[in-house]
Amino acid sequence: MMLSHPNNHDSFYYGTFPNGFSWGAGSSAYQTEGAWDKDGKGLSIWDVFTHKKGKTFLNDTGDSSCEGYYKIKDDISLMKELNLNHYRFSISWPRIMPTGIRSDHVNEKGVNYYNALIDELLEHNITPIVTLYHWDLPQVLQEKYGGWQNISMINYFNDFANLCFERYGDRVKYWITFNNPWSVAVEGYETGEHAPGLKLRGTGAYRAAHHIIKAHAKVWHTYDTQWRNKQRGMVGISLSGDWGEPVDITNQKDIEAAERYVQFYIGWFATPIFHGDYPQVMKDFIGRKSAQQGLGTSRLPTFSSQEKSYIKGTSDFLGVGHFTTHYITQKSFPSSRGYTYFSDWDVAELVDPRWPDPGSEWLYSVPWGFRRLLNFIKTQYGNPMIYITENGVSEKMMCTELCDDWRIQYYKAYINEMLKAIRDGVNVKGYTAWSLLDKFEWDEGYSERFGLYYVDFRNKNKPRYPKASVQFYKRIIRSNGFPNQREVENWRRKATETCSTSNQLLAAEEQRNTAANILRLIHDPLTSHMEMVTEVVVPTVCTLCILISAVFLMFLLRKRN
Ligand code: NOJ
């Protein structure tokens, strides 16, 4: 667990990335496209989930989100402003296969939307990195079969992937089968915080993950046998992993607990894909707890030896999404508390109160954890080729804020730790800032903004505005790293200088829009917001911000209770 390199937490390394290192930004279909029911698109589990009350912050939905579906050219001009080498996006399965089943119907209008996006990217020399599954399962497959609980998803997903290879594979050379299957399994089928919202504690996540791993392997083999020769692309998977550091590095129990945390997280998926089977520690722990429960077999499903060799080695590169780190200590869960994924691993997560937490509640800025995770991947999985598919930070503020100095600090430090990892010998080929735009943040709705570009969601045109971090990231890309201290400090100064003017302009613009909206609401007797807004005559942006933040706070408090 302890890495051999010294723990240089604070020292900054000036230097550049290898030639050809690829710089990008990312998005996903449901989070940005909007157009949820346009041009023949079918329903996804997220459309249905968000349309139920009480599932997301303020009942927000991705119905229109950033309207990315209508803004291919606008968004590519933002990518050009940043000088990106690649753009990572995902294909909405129900947009191109409305029921999820190929023999039912292929929606050519949906197919053509992605054709247009891919062509426009290539025209501007931006490499598309395409995710097949970023959580938006066709609703029909959930309703008819139970979604990822059902083994039949493997073939349906393979048909969908095959159609994508057939239609786009002449131009797309980087494929990601699944984005962050950990979330799909745990939040979709164990805790129910995400669509489809099932709470099958102790079993749901393991079963979903089992089918996802097999589906991934099948798609990799399909590409390998049917398309690779002709198309010469690569197929990988994108796994998310927080880093877990032992609270006390001299305590064997903490060391083992931290190891277990990482194995139950990224190892759950990476170990089968690189070595053919689940991590031993998962088999041991879940097996033992299942026996204690009186079950005849483990709640963790098993792979046959044929399946093991079929799954092993099915990733041409590994996509890594990483945001944060925790300190880990051993904690035994009494059986009276039930058997769940989170009690199976017998760990507790802690944070250092000094760690900055500018954005989402769970997101602490701990840059050195990134280097450790990358070194762990290198040693555990035979130094695979890595693309960072997600890394970034959000902001809690509901108010307009383009001067995102904390995001500059986060990117600067995390990208620097990645540079150190490359010097340690980790084979990282590219980096994807998460995300290009502010967007729908799943159960958190629009309350957490991850974008390099600010999106004014209250304006129906969804205009985009660069945050200061755009200026900073752009310069890292231009220099392919961090040339020297004087220059990097200059970048930061320049980036934050320009933003205050745009901040004021945007705030004034938003104020005008808010006033116009309020007037519209006052004249619309049907609106349910009437009572709330008639009290407020023409509020300033600040009073509005305070109001929104108060609602947000109340929501958080309610959630905690
Ligand atoms: C990982 C998910 O893949 C992505 O969709 C989400 O926006 C980020 N986490 C941040 O929460």
Side-chain angles (χ1 to χ4, degrees), residues 118-164:
I118 292 164
D119 288 344
E120 194 73 18
L121 286 168
L122 292 174
E123 177 117 335
H124 289 89
N125 270 323
I126 301 170
T127 304
I129 297 188
V130 180
T131 307
L132 292 169
Y133 190 85
H134 203 125
W135 307 359
D136 42 1
L137 186 78
Q139 173 66 11
V140 170
L141 296 181
Q142 186 63 45
E143 259 167 41
K144 260 193 173 170
Y145 304 102
W148 291 107
Q149 290 303 293
N150 193 302
I151 196 161
S152 65
M153 285 314 100
I154 301 173
N155 283 338
Y156 289 126
F157 182 65
N158 187 56
D159 289 347
F160 161 61
N162 218 346
L163 178 76
C164 294

Side-chain angles (χ1 to χ4, degrees), residues 28 31 88 134-135 179-180 183 240 323 360 362-363 390 434-435 439-442 448 450:
S28 84
Q31 292 182 279
R88 177 185 178 222
H134 203 125
W135 307 359
N179 171 71
N180 191 353
S183 260
S240 282
F323 292 89
S360 316
W362 52 270
L363 208 171
E390 286 182 21
W434 190 261
S435 45
K439 56 186 170 7
F440 178 77
E441 185 52 35
W442 309 113
E448 294 180 6
F450 275 84

Side-chain angles (χ1 to χ4, degrees), residues 428-439:
V428 187
K429 295 288 190 197
Y431 174 86
T432 314
W434 190 261
S435 45
L436 181 71
L437 306 175
D438 289 341
K439 56 186 170 7

Side-chain angles (χ1 to χ4, degrees), residues 234-245:
M234 294 199 287
V235 177
I237 189 166
S238 174
L239 303 179
S240 282
D242 292 353
W243 178 245
E245 183 75 7

